[in-house]
């Protein structure tokens, strides 16, 4: 098949993923999610690295096979360079570099957070620029202004916990297993979001903070449990609905402010928390009210996946942004 074919590899956290993109169209997106971390209540870096080593070859083989593209037809191999768990990133980047060397083709070193944003172009290649992207995951919370696939600017971000972390840590206080975000979402649908009121942060500008909410929930639960040791069990749905409402309100308040400050009314979403039903419905309502054009990608492209790395790699290839042999993984990396 003629054109530009790129294999992309994502291994920044607990998903081993590979994707093939051909002339800007995703042909495969294979994701292996590591389940082992559930029993520890969070991602254990050592386990993550070892499982990436075990799964990377079958995942890449499956992605190649589903794409119908032969290894010899590839024009480049992309890998997630930063940010993420360093041991996990090293597995993907080293695999990519070794395979690229054996095929005598270049590599592309991709920024994970930029890729989350550009995932919006997979299903909507004609999304109008500029747009604002709210990226909400377990590790990050950002508002990104996207002027083109090459011009991305973080205009607001969390100064402490990420939104997903706020969900997961709140769920842990309620005795729910990790990752608790989807469980809060589940129980919230049968609860009253206005029943309990938790502190909202007073942070200047477009930055977010979630640590105050967490402390407010903790003190509230401690006080109530002293009076009634069944308080959580008896009020689980209302607690989940109220926690979810608080987190969603914090996100939407800042997004509205970003729209006001930039004048940009096209809004996109990225990251695993975009699965949250409360966030989706509040955003949809707000978009109707404010006449925003809203785009929410399919869940497969919101959580960690290699298709988003492939999409970012497609643009990097067109711009000839090839990585040098000396480039490798970075745990941190801003853009
Ligand atoms: O983007 P992601 O898959 O991984 C990274 O963190 O990069 O996001 C995972 C986060 C977790 O914190 C998880 O609890 C949260 O997304 N999450 C949700 C929901 N689904 C996933 N949080 C709230 N409601 C959900 N339905
Ligand atoms: Zn991510």
């Amino acid at each position: 098949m003629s054109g530009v074919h790129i294999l992309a590899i994502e291994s920044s956290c607990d998903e081993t993923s590979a994707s093939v993109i051909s002339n800007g169209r995703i042909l495969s997106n294979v994701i292996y999610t590591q389940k082992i971390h559930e029993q520890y209540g969070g991602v254990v870096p050592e386990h993550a690295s070892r499982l990436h080593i075990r799964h990377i070859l079958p995942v890449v083989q499956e992605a190649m096979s589903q794409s119908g593209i032969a290894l010899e037809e590839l024009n480049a191999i992309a890998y997630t360079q930063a940010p993420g768990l360093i041991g996990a990133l090293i597995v993907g980047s080293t695999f990519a570099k070794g395979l690229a060397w054996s095929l005598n083709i270049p590599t592309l070193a991709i920024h994970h957070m930029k890729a989350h944003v550009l995932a919006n172009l997979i299903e909507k290649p004609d999304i109008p620029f500029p747009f604002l992207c709210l990226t909400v995951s377990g590790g990050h919370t950002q508002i990104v202004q996207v002027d083109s696939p090459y011009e991305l600017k973080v205009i607001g971000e969390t100064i402490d916990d990420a939104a997903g972390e706020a969900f997961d840590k709140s769920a842990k206080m309620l005795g729910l297993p990790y990752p608790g975000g989807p469980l809060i979402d589940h129980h919230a649908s049968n609860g009253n979001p206005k029943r309990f009121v938790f502190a909202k942060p007073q942070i200047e500008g477009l930055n977010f903070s979630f640590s105050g909410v967490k402390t407010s929930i903790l003190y509230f639960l401690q006080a109530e449990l002293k009076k009634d040791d069944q308080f959580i069990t008896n009020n689980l749905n209302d607690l989940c609905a109220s926690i979810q409402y608080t987190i969603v309100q914090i996100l939407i308040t800042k997004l509205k402010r970003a729209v006001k400050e930039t004048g940009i009314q096209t809004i996109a979403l990225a990251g695993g928390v975009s699965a949250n039903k409360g966030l989706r419905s509040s955003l949809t309502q707000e978009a109707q009210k404010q006449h925003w054009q809203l785009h929410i990608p399919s869940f497969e492209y919101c959580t960690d996946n290699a298709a988003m790395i492939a999409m970012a790699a497609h643009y990097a290839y067109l711009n000839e942004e090839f990585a040098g042999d000396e480039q490798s993984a970075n745990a941190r990396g801003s853009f």
Side-chain angles (χ1 to χ4, degrees), residues 13-14 34-44 138 164-165 168-169 171-172 175-183:
C13 192
D14 55 347
Q34 305 173 354
K35 290 281 175 204
I36 194 170
H37 308 290
E38 283 171 10
Q39 58 187 284
Y40 299 99
V43 178
V44 182
E165 239 177 321
D168 295 340
K169 287 180 179 173
K172 198 170 179 183
L176 300 172
Y178 175 86
L183 295 166

Side-chain angles (χ1 to χ4, degrees), residues 10 12-13 112-113 116 135 137-140 271-272 302-305 308:
E10 154 65 30
S12 65
C13 192
H112 181 86
M113 298 311 296
H116 264 303
T135 311
S137 72
H140 300 273
C302 283
T303 54
D304 286 351
N305 68 88
M308 69 183 196

Side-chain angles (χ1 to χ4, degrees), residues 15 112 116 136-139 164-165 167-168 179-182 185 244 271-273 275-277 299 302-304:
E15 263 93 22
H112 181 86
H116 264 303
V136 273
S137 72
E165 239 177 321
F167 270 108
D168 295 340
D185 191 356
Q244 178 169 295
V273 181
N276 185 267
K277 291 195 280 296
F299 189 58
C302 283
T303 54
D304 286 351

Side-chain angles (χ1 to χ4, degrees), residues 12 27 36 68 71 131 181-183 190 204 210 224 234-235 237 263-264 293 297 309-310 318 329:
S12 65
L27 298 184
I36 194 170
L71 276 177
F131 66 88
L183 295 166
N190 298 315
E204 288 289 303
F210 292 98
E224 293 300 324
N234 293 338
N235 298 282
N237 292 344
I264 299 170
Q293 207 192 98
I309 306 299
L318 294 182

Side-chain angles (χ1 to χ4, degrees), residues 25 46 62 84 87 94 106 126 133 206 213 219 299 327:
R25 201 166 64 84
E46 178 70 19
E62 181 61 25
T94 307
D126 53 353
C133 183
L206 298 177
V213 184
Y219 288 166
F299 189 58
Q327 288 212 40

Side-chain angles (χ1 to χ4, degrees), residues 173 198 212-225:
M173 289 187 235
F198 302 113
V213 184
K214 195 178 60 187
T215 313
S216 160
I217 296 168
L218 179 68
Y219 288 166
F220 171 75
L221 289 177
Q222 282 174 344
E224 293 300 324
L225 284 167

Side-chain angles (χ1 to χ4, degrees), residues 2-46:
S2 65
V4 178
H5 314 302
I6 303 168
L7 166 68
I9 293 168
E10 154 65 30
S11 69
S12 65
C13 192
D14 55 347
E15 263 93 22
T16 315
S17 182
S19 168
V20 176
I21 189 165
S22 182
N23 303 322
R25 201 166 64 84
I26 297 296
L27 298 184
S28 61
N29 183 33
V30 177
I31 306 170
Y32 170 78
T33 299
Q34 305 173 354
K35 290 281 175 204
I36 194 170
H37 308 290
E38 283 171 10
Q39 58 187 284
Y40 299 99
V43 178
V44 182
E46 178 70 19

